[in-house]
Amino acid sequence: MEFSPLRRHRDYRYLYIAQSVSFLGTMMTYVALPYQMFQLTRSSLHVGLLGVAELIPLLMTAFVGGALADSVDRRRMVIVTDILLALGSLSLTLMAAHGEPPVWALYALAGFMSGMNGLQRPSIDALMPRLVPREDLMAAAALGSARGSFIMIVGPALGGVLIASTGLAFTYAMDVVSYVLALVCILKIRPVATPEGAERPTLESIREGFRYALSRQELVGTYVVDFVAMVFGMPMALFPALSERLGGPSVLGLLYAAPAMGAFVASVTSRWTRAVKRHGLAVTVAAAVWGVAIVIFGFCDRLYPAVFFLALAGGADAVSGIFRSTIWNQTIPDALRGRLAGIEMVSYMSGPMLGHLEAGLVAAATSVRTSVVSGGVLCVAGVLVCAVLLPKFIRYDADAFKRAQA
């Protein structure tokens, strides 16, 4: 794995540390908030409704956050939203420390923090290519993938340990500390100029971002292929049921961790991706491998083969993510990066949520195995359809694009 972007670029190093620390805290809250909701209500439905409470504000703010990222100082946007997110975690800390909070307050804070994330992430995504030169963008994408997958393994486990040993209030307080540490790192980044020709955000500017995305097949392909893979090939909602035939509740955590473990391995061994120039084709192949791995996973009746194929699926998803991120960072004009990051965020977040719904509905109508296997088959079929309908995406060549822009 290449660490050169971290060694060579001071401001990127601070951004990377800030995201790492903040995401670790977020993953602790990711465990703590549903746990607290279940303890208060003893209802899985109430826990599931947290996803709805988070998705609606995200859909409302992500496009606005993208427009703001293209019209104001991106570093300042990250600072302001980081402070607001810290206040949200502080509110959770205080409520947990003073007894049982009202259920509506947890829904409100979950929605508030999701909305702030929708405002913040486009600025972070658009800021990164300003801190790293073009030749290091793929290495930076691999570093980001490794960070995300590693923390998705460690963060929930650490959150569970803290809840059991110190309680909810202390766990939420660690999230507050993570935002404070991230803020210190962001403040050390040198000011970044507002994109040239930036105008105040309007509905027309948001529409301009959509028009640009739809005009470029290589961008449409990154959104659609990943969305198809997540909607049809996302079996995580079925893991509790699958764990019953694979070893019981004790193996449930391993099933959830397996894709992240595969993603981490793929990320830290990703040096080979520099030699690949057909990035659209690479995304398509990786998404198809995800689907095939999910099909085989659906037929597994023993734990370790099931974990292996889940890890293989996670590794394929990480490879797809590296190439998708590189396409975005190398082809999107700086003046549009925020708005396109907002579009990407919505497609990335909504796909898995709809995938959970699809998996549950098919399992209820047929069986758990049928749901997993049919989802994997539909994933592969959908990816192949995308390949036929988006020929420019499949033919996209990074070197040819670079020569055309010279």
Side-chain angles (χ1 to χ4, degrees):
M1 188 173 181
E2 289 195 61
F3 294 92
S4 55
L6 291 172
R7 290 196 302 268
R8 291 203 298 257
H9 310 298
R10 170 191 175 276
D11 288 342
Y12 171 70
R13 185 163 59 249
Y14 278 120
L15 179 65
Y16 190 87
I17 295 171
Q19 288 183 275
S20 301
V21 173
S22 177
F23 189 42
L24 180 61
T26 298
M27 293 309 294
M28 294 182 201
T29 297
Y30 176 80
V31 174
L33 187 56
Y35 175 83
Q36 185 179 21
M37 180 64 77
F38 187 77
Q39 291 300 309
L40 288 172
T41 65
R42 311 306 298 179
S43 168
S44 295
L45 176 60
H46 278 84
V47 176
L49 288 174
L50 278 172
V52 178
E54 292 168 341
L55 179 59
I56 294 174
L58 179 69
L59 294 176
M60 294 171 63
T61 60
F63 301 126
V64 176
L68 287 170
D70 288 335
S71 61
V72 302
D73 183 339
R74 292 165 180 167
R75 174 176 169 271
R76 187 177 302 168
M77 272 291 296
V78 176
I79 292 171
V80 172
T81 50
D82 191 85
I83 293 172
L84 293 171
L85 284 163
L87 291 175
S89 285
L90 180 60
S91 299
L92 287 171
T93 303
L94 295 175
M95 288 197 304
H98 290 86
E100 297 185 353
V103 170
W104 67 263
L106 294 185
Y107 284 130
L109 279 171
F112 170 77
M113 296 184 72
S114 179
M116 289 304 102
N117 186 42
L119 290 177
Q120 183 185 76
R121 182 171 159 179
S123 289
I124 291 179
D125 289 348
L127 181 62
M128 193 273 281
R130 297 287 293 274
L131 308 179
V132 179
R134 181 187 181 91
E135 60 270 17
D136 286 335
L137 286 174
M138 181 167 284
L143 285 166
S145 178
R147 174 192 62 221
S149 54
F150 178 74
I151 292 175
M152 286 175 68
I153 299 170
V154 174
L158 183 57
V161 170
L162 287 177
I163 292 169
S165 60
T166 63
L168 283 165
F170 186 85
T171 305
Y172 287 134
M174 289 299 97
D175 195 16
V176 178
V177 172
S178 77
Y179 283 121
V180 173
L181 294 176
L183 180 61
V184 171
C185 292
I186 296 297
L187 288 171
K188 287 182 174 293
I189 297 175
R190 288 180 285 258
V192 178
T194 302
E196 186 176 349
E199 301 176 356
R200 67 183 184 88
T202 62
L203 286 176
E204 178 56 32
S205 68
I206 295 174
R207 285 195 292 266
E208 182 185 0
F210 277 98
R211 284 195 296 269
Y212 181 82
L214 293 173
S215 71
R216 303 290 298 274
Q217 277 198 16
E218 63 268 26
L219 296 179
V220 174
T222 61
Y223 303 139
V224 174
V225 168
D226 183 62
F227 185 80
V228 166
M230 294 299 101
V231 168
F232 294 114
M234 178 59 74
M236 289 186 179
L238 306 178
F239 283 176
L242 288 165
S243 67
E244 293 184 358
R245 78 165 190 247
L246 294 172
S250 61
V251 308
L252 184 58
L254 189 56
L255 293 180
Y256 279 111
M261 290 188 288
F264 180 72
V265 172
S267 299
V268 300
T269 59
S270 61
R271 195 181 187 93
W272 61 272
T273 56
R274 273 188 175 273
V276 179
K277 305 303 178 185
R278 295 282 298 278
H279 295 171
L281 180 61
V283 170
T284 304
V285 171
V289 171
W290 163 281
V292 171
I294 293 299
V295 170
I296 301 174
F297 163 72
F299 285 109
C300 292
D301 290 318
R302 297 172 62 189
L303 177 62
Y304 292 111
V307 169
F308 173 80
F309 285 106
L310 278 177
L312 178 62
D317 185 49
V319 170
S320 171
I322 290 170
F323 287 111
R324 284 185 282 116
S325 178
T326 304
I327 292 174
W328 296 328
N329 289 327
Q330 290 185 346
T331 65
I332 297 172
D334 185 61
L336 289 167
R337 276 190 179 134
R339 280 164 283 181
L340 273 293
I343 295 172
E344 180 273 328
M345 184 180 186
V346 169
S347 70
Y348 176 80
M349 297 292 288
S350 60
M353 292 179 180
L354 292 174
H356 297 328
L357 177 62
E358 184 271 344
L361 289 174
V362 176
T366 56
S367 68
V368 171
R369 172 167 287 173
T370 299
S371 178
V372 176
V373 173
S374 65
V377 171
L378 287 172
C379 168
V380 176
V383 167
L384 293 177
V385 170
C386 291
V388 173
L389 297 179
L390 300 170
K392 292 182 181 178
F393 171 62
I394 298 299
R395 294 197 301 266
Y396 172 77
D397 184 292
D399 285 348
F401 181 85
K402 184 178 179 180
R403 289 192 297 269
Q405 299 299 111

